Amino acid sequence: MDELKDKAWRNDAAAKVTGRTRYTDDLKLPGMLHAVPVYGDFVHAKLIAVDTKAAAKSKGVVRVLTARDIPGNNRAGQILKDLHVLADDKIRYHGDVVAIVVAETRAQALAAARLVKVQAEPLPEVLDPEAALTPGAPLVHEEHGTNLIHRHVIRRGDIDAGLAESAFVIEQEFRTPFIEHGYLEPEAALCRVRDDGVVEVRGSMQHPYSTRRFVADLLGLPLARIEVVGTPMGGGFGGKDDTAALICARTALAAQLTGRPVKMTYDREWSMRESYKRHPYLMRYRMGVGADGLIRAVHCRMIADGGAYCSVSPWVTWRSTVQCCGPYVVPNVDGEVSSVYTNHVFTGAMRGFGSPQVNFAVEQLAEMAAEKAGLSGVEFRRRNMVRQGSPTITGQVLDGHAVSLSEVFDRVLAASGYEDKLKRSSRGCGEDDYYGIGLAISYRGVSLGAEGTDFCAAVVSVQFDGSVLLETGIHENGQGAESAMILLLAEELGLDRSRIVYRPSSTSSVPDSGTTVASRATIMGGGAVSRAAATVRLQMAGAVADELGCSPETVRFIGGRLIAPDGRDVDFVEAARRRYRDQKYPYALGVFPAPRVDWDESCGQGKAYFTWVYGCQAVELTVGRRTGRIRLLNAWAAHDVGRAVNRAALLGQFYGGMAMGAGYGLFETVAMDGGRLRSLNFDTYHIPRSIDLPEMTAIIVENRDPLSPSGAKSIGEPANELMAPAIANAYYHATGRRRFELPIGGEK
């Protein structure tokens, strides 16, 4: 294999670029029906009746399903079961589904859906999350007695003393908007009841195990009677968790009740109307800084609009809490992050998971504080950034891995020529377009941390002929996870990757391995693969140890051969055959349980994550002096990924994250009017085009993490969370004006 191919390899590339990959909507089964959702045109209302008589009589209609048809539990959710699979008592946001029409064809189902009549009594709408917390505010979920979903706190040191001893205190408010994930493939599901009674689910979802729980709950069946099969997916970015699971559950309900396979494919308008978004944040900060330029204290209060349902708001806002002071040593902290119910579209997981919002605030505060202290932003960050052995604001000591923040910082400074270019920034002066450069840094806890139970499984099965089957609990979201797992296993077993076949994951063949979110696929899935491979190596080496004259532990696997310390060797295939002849399988279930963490929710102290990643990004731009148009010229990103497993795919994550972050910084916001989305397609929701993006330079920093069995860590989210603050800082250096609300672009 030549070097170029090695750099750009993916196991699914040929099928995807030639159009042979079959996504959910491409799948067809004999006798298959089609289902479509029905919405009521209300934002907040008491549901009185759903009249399905006319729709049920429409041509081709097989069933019209409402909440009354659900045999199991109509409440779903990963934290709180407050999601209504089909609305029954109230409509809580404009995307609530009140009925499902099932027909012989999609056109017939669409025609009949228009005949469903929804009778409801409008209720006062709750659209301001701050007002939602005031006494007497209308309640979205009356049974909770409050619109507060959850509140996290950080209490460290003495905030009053810290602010009092500060030479100055900066106070500032920041706001960020609702953001659409913008995945290429809208949600889709195909379900059937097999002859063995198992409900088989295929769909465009990134969390097969939570989908299985949603389906089992709705149908009132045990988990073992539901099998969710991994299916190629056209992107998710965190957005195909709850909503996708709900769509799969409704489709499974239709299949169960009709006894026929059912497909439901969303169009873009349904997807954008119903699917959860990135949380908009209101953030109020006070940062106290000493005369020596060291941060003494941070006081912050944040409100996140959770919309109509809890979803994963407590998990998202927990990360915001843990990282509310950025990658800086702060001795005194008083932070609170509240998630709040409103009648907006609900909010949940999205690439970055609570970090992009706080980074937008903290990285501007750092520059504002530096200026007031008479320091450069570079020097201010050097004085305050975390280093090896530093305590975080939760009391965790950063050790056991390389704390490489200064390394990535220096790499970006050098690659971009940052400090020279900063001197040339316009700061609102000059006759030409304004020019500026800016940067931002971050650290990020890896995987789930204390927000959830974190472990993952992989199955490695060597066949009699030396070929290898691999399965993991990680889902292929389009990010290249399968390729990374294959490459890791090939290296562990000393085989060419062509001998390894990756089997799409199924909830019935690999134990529950959690969500494929939080940039955890490579570190957790790769860890499980490494553990399984280690077991298989010992099994196979044991089969030939006598011939090699050494202990199994000393055998190396290189180039398709098992090699003893003295050079004697055996072919991999022969070793596999010996194992079978001994009536033993070269087979292993590998499990990687994340190292233990601990957390005290009452004060927000503890070891939040078992390891961390570090990143820095810089942006160079111009601002039209008369038009206000922002043009990105160049961007640089350095991230410590632990170990680069698939370099080309890794670079793709860098570039994709930077592009997505540029959209967050410059253009993107979900337009709403009284709780109704006005951004229902990409003609009204501006994601970056190629002409909007700058030249990008990706700098891969590798410090293998000893806590990761494969040495690899994360990149998916870190690359996405720094562009907005870097753009904001560059904008300030260009114009002399600060922007405290996203998006930034387009203002004259």
Side-chain angles (χ1 to χ4, degrees), residues 69-107:
D69 298 301
I70 294 172
N73 186 2
N74 189 28
R75 304 290 187 270
Q78 298 187 62
I79 300 174
L80 294 179
K81 290 184 181 296
D82 64 357
L83 282 161
H84 294 226
V85 181
L86 292 172
D88 49 12
D89 58 344
K90 287 174 61 175
I91 292 173
R92 292 177 170 80
Y93 83 112
H94 200 232
D96 263 334
V97 175
V98 298
I100 296 294
V101 176
V102 189
E104 297 288 347
T105 70
R106 179 176 170 86

Side-chain angles (χ1 to χ4, degrees), residues 266-324:
Y266 268 40
D267 63 24
R268 183 65 63 184
E269 285 73 19
W270 298 342
S271 174
M272 293 186 77
R273 175 176 181 169
E274 186 182 334
S275 67
Y276 58 84
K277 314 301 179 196
R278 176 182 285 163
H279 294 73
Y281 272 44
L282 167 62
M283 299 172 280
R284 295 191 174 104
Y285 270 88
R286 284 192 289 158
M287 175 185 280
V289 180
D292 53 5
L294 295 178
I295 303 172
R296 294 287 194 274
V298 170
H299 179 283
C300 62
R301 294 290 182 269
M302 304 186 207
I303 294 178
D305 191 338
Y309 299 110
C310 171
S311 184
V312 294
S313 284
W315 293 339
V316 171
T317 51
W318 180 75
R319 183 176 285 275
S320 306
T321 312
V322 172
Q323 298 177 199
C324 70

Side-chain angles (χ1 to χ4, degrees), residues 395-475:
Q396 178 176 357
V397 176
L398 295 174
D399 58 11
H401 67 281
V403 180
S404 54
L405 185 56
S406 61
E407 182 179 359
V408 296
F409 188 48
D410 288 340
R411 294 289 296 273
V412 167
L413 292 177
S416 63
Y418 183 83
E419 292 184 273
D420 287 339
K421 291 178 177 176
L422 184 64
K423 294 173 184 172
R424 293 194 280 112
S425 293
S426 304
R427 299 202 176 248
C429 299
E431 297 299 318
D432 300 325
D433 288 350
Y434 302 132
Y435 166 84
I437 189 169
L439 60 76
I441 63 175
S442 73
Y443 68 172
R444 180 181 182 84
V446 171
S447 200
L448 302 182
E451 71 187 74
T453 304
D454 203 2
F455 64 134
C456 188
V459 176
V460 173
S461 178
V462 180
Q463 306 301 294
F464 187 75
D465 63 357
S467 60
V468 183
L469 293 173
L470 170 62
E471 294 178 82
T472 78
I474 294 300
H475 193 256

Side-chain angles (χ1 to χ4, degrees), residues 606-676:
K607 185 177 183 180
Y609 295 95
F610 70 88
T611 192
W612 296 71
V613 289
Y614 305 89
C616 177
Q617 290 178 200
V619 172
E620 184 180 27
L621 54 73
T622 61
V623 181
R625 198 168 69 86
R626 292 182 175 80
T627 64
R629 180 175 181 270
I630 298 172
R631 187 163 70 93
L632 303 182
L633 304 176
N634 287 288
W636 300 262
H639 292 272
D640 185 350
V641 300
R643 170 195 172 194
V645 176
N646 188 349
R647 192 165 290 269
L650 175 61
L651 292 174
Q653 290 288 330
F654 268 81
Y655 302 139
M658 294 164 78
M660 204 169 186
Y664 187 51
L666 290 179
F667 313 119
E668 295 187 39
T669 181
V670 175
M672 281 193 260
D673 181 7
R676 291 171 170 80

Side-chain angles (χ1 to χ4, degrees), residues 534-661:
T535 300
V536 167
R537 283 201 309 270
L538 282 176
Q539 293 171 347
M540 295 184 64
V544 296
D546 289 345
E547 180 178 337
L548 293 176
C550 64
S551 66
E553 292 79 6
T554 62
V555 175
R556 295 174 298 149
F557 286 66
I558 301 173
R561 303 194 73 78
L562 283 65
I563 304 173
D566 65 1
R568 284 183 284 179
D569 65 347
V570 174
D571 184 74
F572 184 90
V573 176
E574 180 56 27
R577 289 174 177 170
R578 298 265 184 93
R579 178 86 178 163
Y580 275 94
R581 288 173 187 137
D582 291 340
Q583 297 179 303
K584 297 176 181 176
Y585 295 110
Y587 171 97
L589 170 68
V591 179
F592 176 45
R596 290 288 183 183
V597 293
D598 60 81
W599 187 251
D600 184 342
E601 179 69 11
S602 67
C603 59
Q605 294 293 293
K607 185 177 183 180
Y609 295 95
F610 70 88
T611 192
W612 296 71
V613 289
Y614 305 89
C616 177
Q617 290 178 200
V619 172
E620 184 180 27
L621 54 73
T622 61
V623 181
R625 198 168 69 86
R626 292 182 175 80
T627 64
R629 180 175 181 270
I630 298 172
R631 187 163 70 93
L632 303 182
L633 304 176
N634 287 288
W636 300 262
H639 292 272
D640 185 350
V641 300
R643 170 195 172 194
V645 176
N646 188 349
R647 192 165 290 269
L650 175 61
L651 292 174
Q653 290 288 330
F654 268 81
Y655 302 139
M658 294 164 78
M660 204 169 186

